[in-house]
Amino acid sequence: MYVTMKVLSSSVGLLYFLALIPFAITSPTKLKERIIPPRGWNKDNAPPADHKIALRIGLPQPNFHVLRTHLYEVSDPYHPRYGSYLSKEEVDALVAPHQASIDAVNDWLGSHGIQDSDVNRSPAGDWVTIMLPVHLVEKMLDTKYHVWKHDNGNTIVRTTSYSLPEHLHEHIDVIQPTTIFAQLRGMKSTIVWSEEAEVVTSAKNLAPIVNEATGTLVDASCNTTITITCLKQLYNAVGLVPSALNNSIAVTGYLEQFANFQDLQSFYTEQNPAAVNSSFEVVSINGGLNNQTLAEAGAEANLDVQPYQDWLDFVLAQPSVPLAISTSYGDHEQTVPKSYALRVCNGLAQLGARGVSLTFSSGDFGVGDGDPNPATQTCFTNDGTNTTRFQPLFPASVTSVGGTVGIPEVAVTRFFSGGGFSDYFERPSYQDDAVNGFLKTLPEGTYDGLFNPEGRGIPDVAAQGDRFRIFLAGVPRLIGGTSASSPTFAGLIALLNDVRLSQGLPSLGFLNPLLYTKGLQGFNDILVGHNPGCGTNGFNVTEGWDPVTGLGTPNVMELQKLIVDN
């Protein structure tokens, strides 16, 4: 009898113990994502077992469709809610995951010995970040990581597939870094060194040029060197002086590119003496550096004042965010897994719903690689078929800025304005009229199979993109790229925000619904140029929107009238 009772007691204890074990241990694993190794990447050795990975787990945002509705309503100049932006707390509530997803992920993490104190969570709870050794990540994701080396010498630790317990698939959208092989590249071309800059100064003695698009006079030197004065004259912003105290603008910097305070003062002394001794604030995110050694100044960073989720985590957690933000970094869309691309763009949408205007460079390589030669082009798909296809840039869900040059302005020629059509994101309704108008100009069969005619078209707008005069490491330089175009456009948006704020109106927020409707009258159409690449001549600039210069370049005074007209 005693023995029987002992066995019974042990059985009950075993049943109780099993009940405490998270279901994740007994749920069979199922493949979550698999990719073909992208071109140019070669598998090398396994990383050390203790190599640390900052694992990011994206939980579903079941009410994101509601946030999207809010975004389009508050960004539509003809909607009664235009400018009625959401608060941080309201946005967080709309992207928060269901409690069931939080519990399921917590149980899974606990089954691998991960405590809640080890976990960092976004304010909305939709992202979980944990620093883990690669050997544990491999166990959790039923995968194997390797060091991968690119033909250009870059190395990363990645895998090409991962799996999860089957019941977790509905509770997890994405986990990275796993299958993302993107290289965050600055959208820039070659630097024109000072010797060449000195040759073109003779243009200053020529008579001013009448800008036919705006009727304003533009210094002849602006055909060879772009300065602050040139931009004001070209875009009809002369005399517009900001006054609102609650206005703000920011630029992002990555890849150890440093905006140098001393270079900025040299720039101000030459081009904007009234701003001498004013400066900018550097906010470091995730250990970002701010090396002020003059020799270490970055051309990319200086041009802007010059990977996305770290930045988004930080910015979305702030109670107050800059009203206009420019980014000059990106990569080909296909190098970013679609699951991750969607989540990044969801994060950008959250900023738009809070009244932030985001501009991104469209790229410097035309429809893909900037190479019109079919024999040497490198635009091949990453799906294992190596099919030639145009390579749209990521991200494509915000305001994309292409490049122009000269007076009158044409599509930039020393490199090629990035443009095309997304393979991930469908065309938004606000683009339908403009993009369909362009597509009708294409002869039947043009570039069949090379692009997605139903995709989101880029760029949206354009601005000067070459021969900007900056100071780099204490020396004046001329530099170009749509890296210049994006912060230029963002700066002009900041001026327009100032106009609205000074009249008690909210900031412009997500720009595109305005640009493609009421704002159309405030742009100078670009009519000359194309953007070669992928063994083709790319797309041609046409009347109206085109995937080279978008809607054109801004006429600030006209836009000023439009944005305060009720």
Side-chain angles (χ1 to χ4, degrees):
M1 187 67 169
Y2 174 79
V3 174
T4 303
M5 287 295 295
K6 184 177 181 181
V7 172
L8 179 61
S9 177
S10 298
S11 299
V12 171
L14 178 62
L15 290 172
Y16 176 73
F17 175 74
L18 288 174
L20 293 179
I21 298 177
F23 181 65
I25 290 180
T26 59
S27 176
T29 61
K30 181 181 178 182
L31 182 69
K32 179 68 172 176
E33 188 168 64
R34 183 191 303 278
I35 66 163
I36 302 292
R39 288 175 58 87
W41 288 101
N42 305 291
K43 186 190 294 184
D44 206 344
N45 300 324
D50 60 353
H51 174 81
K52 290 296 197 304
I53 290 179
L55 198 69
R56 293 186 174 279
I57 303 170
L59 280 64
Q61 302 165 322
N63 292 316
F64 183 79
H65 66 286
V66 180
L67 183 137
R68 183 188 295 112
T69 298
H70 282 291
L71 172 64
Y72 281 109
E73 288 181 354
V74 300
S75 306
D76 179 354
Y78 297 112
H79 196 281
R81 293 188 60 215
Y82 182 56
S84 300
Y85 301 120
L86 304 185
S87 67
K88 172 187 177 298
E89 292 72 24
E90 289 171 328
V91 168
D92 287 347
L94 287 172
V95 297
H98 286 320
Q99 188 62 45
S101 295
I102 297 173
D103 292 342
V105 171
N106 286 347
D107 288 345
W108 175 57
L109 295 177
S111 73
H112 289 282
I114 299 169
Q115 305 300 313
D116 192 63
S117 59
D118 301 324
V119 176
N120 290 318
R121 303 179 190 276
S122 64
D126 55 333
W127 281 100
V128 170
T129 305
I130 328 153
M131 187 67 71
L132 297 172
V134 68
H135 72 85
L136 179 55
V137 177
E138 289 177 336
K139 179 181 178 183
M140 294 168 64
L141 303 184
D142 191 22
T143 190
K144 181 66 179 173
Y145 279 78
H146 286 86
V147 176
W148 290 78
K149 187 172 184 178
H150 195 271
D151 294 341
N152 62 16
N154 288 343
T155 59
I156 54 176
V157 176
R158 294 291 188 270
T159 183
T160 56
S161 67
Y162 68 96
S163 300
L164 291 171
E166 188 169 5
H167 81 284
L168 281 179
H169 280 233
E170 65 177 302
H171 299 298
I172 293 177
D173 278 349
V174 61
I175 298 181
Q176 292 294 348
T178 50
T179 57
I180 182 169
F181 282 76
Q183 301 180 80
L184 198 58
R185 303 183 301 179
M187 294 300 109
K188 60 183 178 182
S189 61
T190 57
I191 294 175
V192 182
W193 300 107
S194 57
E195 291 79 9
E196 189 171 340
E198 292 168 0
V199 172
V200 300
T201 56
S202 60
K204 292 181 179 179
N205 300 320
L206 299 177
I209 302 170
V210 176
N211 184 355
E212 295 181 1
T214 62
T216 58
L217 293 178
V218 182
D219 289 347
S221 62
C222 300
N223 252 325
T224 53
T225 305
I226 294 296
T227 63
I228 292 176
T229 298
C230 292
L231 295 174
K232 289 182 177 180
Q233 293 172 347
L234 277 165
Y235 300 134
N236 201 11
V238 175
L240 199 59
V241 179
S243 60
L245 298 178
N246 55 340
N247 199 4
S248 54
I249 184 172
V251 294
T252 60
Y254 303 91
L255 307 177
E256 298 188 8
Q257 295 283 314
F258 312 113
N260 186 271
F261 295 120
Q262 187 175 333
D263 278 342
L264 179 66
Q265 295 308 313
S266 298
F267 177 82
Y268 279 161
T269 298
E270 180 184 83
Q271 297 194 32
N272 190 14
V276 171
N277 295 325
S278 65
S279 191
F280 55 88
E281 179 185 1
V282 175
V283 179
S284 176
I285 300 172
N286 196 27
L289 304 177
N290 182 29
N291 188 338
Q292 286 300 306
T293 304
L294 198 59
E296 297 298 322
E300 188 75 29
N302 276 1
L303 186 59
D304 278 350
V305 182
Q306 48 154 30
Y308 297 121
Q309 198 57 50
D310 281 342
W311 176 78
L312 277 170
D313 284 351
F314 177 85
V315 174
L316 288 171
Q318 305 308 305
S320 178
V321 183
L323 298 179
I325 303 176
S326 170
T327 298
S328 297
Y329 300 81
D331 210 340
H332 291 150
E333 189 176 72
Q334 69 168 359
T335 67
V336 182
K338 187 174 182 179
S339 58
Y340 182 73
L342 292 172
R343 286 302 297 260
V344 168
C345 288
N346 284 2
L348 298 174
Q350 292 171 56
L351 288 173
R354 291 174 60 179
V356 179
S357 300
L358 298 168
T359 67
F360 277 71
S361 302
S362 74
D364 302 341
F365 304 99
V367 292
D369 62 357
D371 184 0
N373 188 340
T376 56
Q377 64 90 16
T378 57
C379 298
F380 300 104
T381 58
N382 277 345
D383 58 3
T385 64
N386 288 332
T387 303
T388 298
R389 190 169 176 85
F390 292 167
Q391 300 295 317
L393 201 69
F394 173 83
S397 59
V398 286
T399 302
S400 176
V401 187
T404 60
V405 68
I407 315 167
E409 291 185 275
V410 299
V412 69
T413 55
R414 193 164 62 94
F415 52 91
F416 304 114
S417 182
F421 300 84
S422 173
D423 284 322
Y424 285 178
F425 300 94
E426 64 182 20
R427 184 170 64 245
S429 59
Y430 61 74
Q431 268 200 326
D432 280 343
D433 288 346
V435 174
N436 281 329
F438 169 79
L439 292 173
K440 290 176 182 177
T441 69
L442 295 178
E444 186 175 353
T446 300
Y447 299 148
D448 272 356
L450 292 180
F451 74 99
N452 172 25
E454 302 301 321
R456 152 86 163 109
I458 56 173
D460 298 293
V461 294
Q464 286 278 320
D466 203 5
R467 297 185 176 276
F468 274 64
R469 184 173 170 89
I470 67 164
F471 279 79
L472 176 62
V475 180
R477 299 282 193 250
L478 294 185
I479 193 170
T482 51
S483 285
S485 307
S486 179
T488 294
F489 192 83
L492 297 172
I493 292 302
L495 286 177
L496 293 171
N497 273 339
D498 190 88
V499 171
R500 286 180 60 84
L501 294 171
S502 64
Q503 297 189 26
L505 298 170
S507 60
L508 290 170
F510 177 42
L511 298 169
N512 293 3
L514 166 70
L515 303 182
Y516 283 89
T517 54
K518 191 174 184 179
L520 282 173
Q521 302 171 52
F523 282 87
N524 312 314
D525 200 3
I526 307 302
L527 300 174
V528 177
H530 61 303
N531 60 349
C534 305
T536 73
N537 286 324
F539 295 109
N540 289 324
V541 170
T542 62
E543 185 175 347
W545 181 90
D546 55 70
V548 185
T549 58
L551 298 171
T553 58
N555 183 328
V556 173
M557 289 300 182
E558 287 300 314
L559 285 170
Q560 178 183 346
K561 298 173 188 176
L562 295 170
I563 62 172
V564 296
D565 176 18
N566 294 323

